[in-house]
Tab-separated table of all heavy atoms in Angstrom:
chain	number	residue	atom	x	y	z
A	198	ILE	N	130.318	93.233	99.302
A	198	ILE	CA	131.205	92.052	99.379
A	198	ILE	C	132.611	92.521	99.760
A	198	ILE	O	133.181	93.396	99.108
A	198	ILE	CB	131.241	91.296	98.019
A	198	ILE	CG1	129.833	90.824	97.645
A	198	ILE	CG2	132.206	90.114	98.091
A	198	ILE	CD1	129.734	90.185	96.263
A	199	PRO	N	133.188	91.944	100.824
A	199	PRO	CA	134.515	92.396	101.272
A	199	PRO	C	135.576	92.223	100.168
A	199	PRO	O	135.665	91.163	99.546
A	199	PRO	CB	134.823	91.487	102.454
A	199	PRO	CG	133.525	90.929	102.877
A	199	PRO	CD	132.659	90.887	101.675
A	200	GLU	N	136.350	93.266	99.953
A	200	GLU	CA	137.383	93.283	98.912
A	200	GLU	C	138.467	92.222	99.181
A	200	GLU	O	139.050	91.659	98.253
A	200	GLU	CB	138.001	94.693	98.870
A	200	GLU	CG	138.840	94.996	97.648
A	200	GLU	CD	138.078	94.874	96.325
A	200	GLU	OE1	136.855	95.133	96.294
A	200	GLU	OE2	138.711	94.507	95.328
A	201	GLU	N	138.663	91.928	100.488
A	201	GLU	CA	139.731	90.976	100.840
A	201	GLU	C	139.506	89.601	100.222
A	201	GLU	O	140.458	88.883	99.910
A	201	GLU	CB	139.824	90.777	102.373
A	201	GLU	CG	140.050	92.026	103.195
A	201	GLU	CD	138.736	92.692	103.542
A	201	GLU	OE1	137.966	92.133	104.326
A	201	GLU	OE2	138.484	93.798	103.000
A	202	LEU	N	138.230	89.247	100.052
A	202	LEU	CA	137.927	87.927	99.476
A	202	LEU	C	138.497	87.817	98.067
A	202	LEU	O	139.079	86.799	97.682
A	202	LEU	CB	136.415	87.698	99.445
A	202	LEU	CG	135.714	87.566	100.796
A	202	LEU	CD1	134.217	87.425	100.611
A	202	LEU	CD2	136.252	86.353	101.554
A	203	TYR	N	138.337	88.904	97.316
A	203	TYR	CA	138.857	88.909	95.936
A	203	TYR	C	140.385	88.917	95.939
A	203	TYR	O	141.028	88.249	95.130
A	203	TYR	CB	138.320	90.120	95.165
A	203	TYR	CG	136.834	90.027	94.891
A	203	TYR	CD1	135.928	90.784	95.617
A	203	TYR	CD2	136.343	89.177	93.915
A	203	TYR	CE1	134.569	90.699	95.385
A	203	TYR	CE2	134.978	89.084	93.674
A	203	TYR	CZ	134.100	89.847	94.409
A	203	TYR	OH	132.749	89.738	94.171
A	204	GLU	N	140.964	89.710	96.892
A	204	GLU	CA	142.442	89.777	96.969
A	204	GLU	C	143.013	88.401	97.298
A	204	GLU	O	143.979	87.945	96.678
A	204	GLU	CB	142.850	90.790	98.046
A	204	GLU	CG	142.587	92.229	97.617
A	204	GLU	CD	142.679	93.230	98.772
A	204	GLU	OE1	143.034	92.817	99.890
A	204	GLU	OE2	142.364	94.400	98.534
A	205	ALA	N	142.381	87.723	98.256
A	205	ALA	CA	142.856	86.383	98.642
A	205	ALA	C	142.724	85.423	97.458
A	205	ALA	O	143.629	84.629	97.192
A	205	ALA	CB	142.047	85.872	99.821
A	206	ALA	N	141.595	85.534	96.722
A	206	ALA	CA	141.375	84.651	95.574
A	206	ALA	C	142.423	84.906	94.498
A	206	ALA	O	142.934	83.969	93.867
A	206	ALA	CB	139.981	84.879	95.009
A	207	GLU	N	142.732	86.172	94.307
A	207	GLU	CA	143.757	86.516	93.309
A	207	GLU	C	145.101	85.915	93.678
A	207	GLU	O	145.812	85.377	92.820
A	207	GLU	CB	143.871	88.043	93.213
A	207	GLU	CG	143.088	88.592	92.032
A	207	GLU	CD	143.285	90.093	91.855
A	207	GLU	OE1	144.449	90.527	91.827
A	207	GLU	OE2	142.264	90.764	91.792
A	208	LEU	N	145.421	86.001	94.971
A	208	LEU	CA	146.677	85.425	95.443
A	208	LEU	C	146.698	83.919	95.206
A	208	LEU	O	147.743	83.333	94.921
A	208	LEU	CB	146.869	85.717	96.943
A	208	LEU	CG	147.278	87.152	97.288
A	208	LEU	CD1	147.311	87.352	98.793
A	208	LEU	CD2	148.653	87.471	96.691
A	209	ASP	N	145.527	83.301	95.315
A	209	ASP	CA	145.433	81.854	95.081
A	209	ASP	C	145.369	81.522	93.594
A	209	ASP	O	145.230	80.357	93.213
A	209	ASP	CB	144.185	81.290	95.774
A	209	ASP	CG	144.344	81.281	97.281
A	209	ASP	OD1	145.493	81.398	97.745
A	209	ASP	OD2	143.318	81.190	97.988
A	210	GLY	N	145.405	82.558	92.762
A	210	GLY	CA	145.448	82.350	91.312
A	210	GLY	C	144.086	82.230	90.646
A	210	GLY	O	143.985	81.746	89.512
A	211	ALA	N	143.004	82.636	91.319
A	211	ALA	CA	141.668	82.539	90.701
A	211	ALA	C	141.446	83.688	89.705
A	211	ALA	O	141.738	84.838	90.019
A	211	ALA	CB	140.590	82.599	91.778
A	212	GLY	N	140.950	83.346	88.523
A	212	GLY	CA	140.654	84.363	87.511
A	212	GLY	C	139.293	84.993	87.755
A	212	GLY	O	138.574	84.580	88.673
A	213	PRO	N	138.899	85.959	86.905
A	213	PRO	CA	137.624	86.663	87.104
A	213	PRO	C	136.412	85.732	87.094
A	213	PRO	O	135.490	85.893	87.894
A	213	PRO	CB	137.560	87.633	85.920
A	213	PRO	CG	138.932	87.713	85.394
A	213	PRO	CD	139.656	86.470	85.768
A	214	ILE	N	136.416	84.728	86.190
A	214	ILE	CA	135.245	83.840	86.104
A	214	ILE	C	135.129	82.992	87.369
A	214	ILE	O	134.065	82.852	87.962
A	214	ILE	CB	135.326	82.962	84.832
A	214	ILE	CG1	135.202	83.883	83.606
A	214	ILE	CG2	134.227	81.894	84.818
A	214	ILE	CD1	135.444	83.215	82.292
A	215	ARG	N	136.282	82.465	87.794
A	215	ARG	CA	136.309	81.655	89.014
A	215	ARG	C	135.861	82.500	90.216
A	215	ARG	O	135.108	82.032	91.074
A	215	ARG	CB	137.754	81.151	89.207
A	215	ARG	CG	137.981	80.355	90.451
A	215	ARG	CD	137.383	78.971	90.325
A	215	ARG	NE	137.539	78.237	91.559
A	215	ARG	CZ	137.022	77.069	91.809
A	215	ARG	NH1	136.282	76.493	90.889
A	215	ARG	NH2	137.217	76.457	92.938
A	216	GLN	N	136.366	83.739	90.241
A	216	GLN	CA	135.984	84.647	91.344
A	216	GLN	C	134.475	84.896	91.343
A	216	GLN	O	133.834	84.936	92.389
A	216	GLN	CB	136.720	85.991	91.206
A	216	GLN	CG	138.182	85.921	91.600
A	216	GLN	CD	138.884	87.249	91.372
A	216	GLN	OE1	138.273	88.309	91.402
A	216	GLN	NE2	140.184	87.195	91.124
A	217	PHE	N	133.913	85.046	90.121
A	217	PHE	CA	132.469	85.297	90.026
A	217	PHE	C	131.672	84.117	90.607
A	217	PHE	O	130.766	84.302	91.399
A	217	PHE	CB	132.074	85.534	88.556
A	217	PHE	CG	130.593	85.700	88.371
A	217	PHE	CD1	129.958	86.892	88.685
A	217	PHE	CD2	129.815	84.642	87.893
A	217	PHE	CE1	128.591	87.036	88.532
A	217	PHE	CE2	128.450	84.783	87.735
A	217	PHE	CZ	127.839	85.989	88.051
A	218	TRP	N	132.046	82.901	90.177
A	218	TRP	CA	131.295	81.730	90.614
A	218	TRP	C	131.520	81.396	92.090
A	218	TRP	O	130.619	80.938	92.770
A	218	TRP	CB	131.653	80.494	89.764
A	218	TRP	CG	131.087	80.588	88.384
A	218	TRP	CD1	131.778	80.797	87.234
A	218	TRP	CD2	129.711	80.508	88.005
A	218	TRP	NE1	130.932	80.858	86.158
A	218	TRP	CE2	129.643	80.677	86.604
A	218	TRP	CE3	128.524	80.310	88.705
A	218	TRP	CZ2	128.451	80.660	85.909
A	218	TRP	CZ3	127.338	80.280	88.003
A	218	TRP	CH2	127.304	80.460	86.621
A	219	SER	N	132.799	81.647	92.556
A	219	SER	CA	133.110	81.193	93.919
A	219	SER	C	132.953	82.278	94.982
A	219	SER	O	132.851	81.957	96.162
A	219	SER	CB	134.545	80.660	93.973
A	219	SER	OG	134.699	79.615	93.056
Side-chain angles (χ1 to χ4, degrees):
Chain A
I198 300 174
E200 194 59 31
E201 303 87 69
L202 293 177
Y203 291 105
E204 288 167 5
E207 261 185 51
L208 285 175
D209 289 343
I214 294 172
R215 177 74 183 173
Q216 285 177 27
F217 176 78
W218 288 109
S219 302

